[in-house]
Amino acid sequence: MLKIGPYSFKSRLLLGTGKYPNFDVQKEAVDVSETEILTFAVRRMNIYEPNQPNFLEKLNVEKYKLLPNTAGASTAKEAVRIAKLAKASGLCDMIKVEVIGCQKTLLPDPIETLKASEELVKEGFIVLPYTSDDVLLAKRLEEIGCHAIMPGASPIGSGQGIVNPLNLRFIIEQSHVPVIVDAGIGTPSDAAIAMELGADGVLLNTAVSGAKDPVKMAKAMKLAIEAGRLGYEAGRIPKKAYATASSPMEGLSIG
């Protein structure tokens, strides 16, 4: 069971809702993923024009916990404003803090992310900050009260997979709140590896919405995350320099 703040979820897959070919494909992909958490950019919501087409209109949003994010913010002040707008609109009290510091790499600004997260925790939000794989920053974010840590596996939308498994492992080992790998996942094997490292969940968008068949990829990611978690809980065998016979030699009849 994945626990974030006061909420509990059976699924460990968090799914983004952007960039699908159309609403029907989006709906089918969301359905087969069996996700319970949908994330989206607040700036994409028609908050001021509710009669306009809504990218969530094909989904029964009552089935899901909505996780709005502050994409588009480049300062803590902007992120806090976007988060308060989302909460005032009745979307959810959870917020993914996203403060981009570099438009080329789309890497998060560590200082502004920390500032925004600290203020939003004080405001009573359930705060999930998107961050780099900086081990000490992850520690500081937990210390100020964040309810989960969301380190990127690699740059947003790059599909490069996990480029620094060591840092992710360090973050996971030190954290007492859920660690959800966010950004850069490209294949089901990437997602499985993240879970085998001990991550509590994986957030995906482009890897599914940008696939040739988003629906099949959504199902593949669901199964990969489940398999990776089971593998982590089962405990892998240690690596050895030499072969070890799978059948014991003791008690064999020789002759």
Side-chain angles (χ1 to χ4, degrees), residues 32-254:
V32 301
S33 76
E34 296 185 8
T35 184
E36 296 172 83
I37 304 175
L38 296 177
T39 184
F40 55 90
V42 175
R43 64 178 181 171
R44 294 180 59 228
M45 294 294 293
N46 295 308
I47 291 173
Y48 297 112
E49 298 180 77
N51 294 325
Q52 294 299 310
N54 188 323
F55 71 98
L56 293 176
E57 67 182 8
K58 290 281 186 177
L59 304 175
N60 179 9
V61 293
E62 293 182 0
K63 291 173 53 180
Y64 306 99
K65 180 64 68 176
L66 299 181
L67 177 60
N69 67 58
T70 65
S74 58
T75 66
K77 184 177 180 180
E78 290 175 342
V80 169
R81 180 183 60 80
I82 293 171
K84 288 182 176 180
L85 178 61
K87 191 172 185 178
S89 301
L91 295 177
C92 188
D93 59 349
M94 292 174 64
I95 191 73
K96 176 187 170 186
V97 176
E98 187 172 324
V99 185
I100 299 302
C102 173
Q103 292 305 312
K104 180 179 181 180
T105 63
L106 297 182
L107 289 172
D109 184 315
I111 297 172
E112 295 300 305
T113 298
L114 189 64
K115 287 180 181 178
S117 298
E118 186 169 21
E119 182 169 346
L120 290 170
V121 167
K122 291 178 181 177
E123 293 278 350
F125 285 82
I126 307 301
V127 179
L128 296 80
Y130 164 60
T131 179
S132 65
D133 59 7
D134 185 311
V135 180
L136 293 180
L137 177 58
K139 185 177 182 179
R140 297 291 178 263
L141 287 165
E142 181 177 348
E143 288 174 345
I144 63 171
C146 291
H147 301 82
I149 307 299
M150 305 184 75
S154 53
I156 294 174
S158 69
Q160 292 185 40
I162 300 172
V163 297
N164 195 342
L166 186 61
N167 271 27
L168 279 182
R169 187 183 296 276
F170 287 158
I171 291 172
I172 291 165
E173 288 177 352
Q174 76 180 9
S175 297
H176 298 93
V177 296
V179 176
I180 300 167
V181 175
D182 179 12
I185 295 294
T187 65
S189 59
D190 295 335
I193 290 170
M195 298 305 293
E196 288 174 2
L197 287 171
D200 296 281
V202 173
L203 190 151
L204 302 166
N205 193 154
T206 305
V208 172
S209 64
K212 290 181 180 179
D213 189 328
V215 177
K216 285 185 177 178
M217 186 60 77
K219 185 173 182 179
M221 290 296 186
K222 175 186 88 76
L223 295 173
I225 289 169
E226 290 176 355
R229 181 65 184 185
L230 285 172
Y232 170 73
E233 292 175 345
R236 63 155 293 146
I237 62 171
K239 293 182 179 181
K240 300 176 182 178
Y242 300 98
T244 302
S246 58
S247 298
M249 301 300 291
E250 294 81 3
L252 292 179
S253 298
I254 306 297

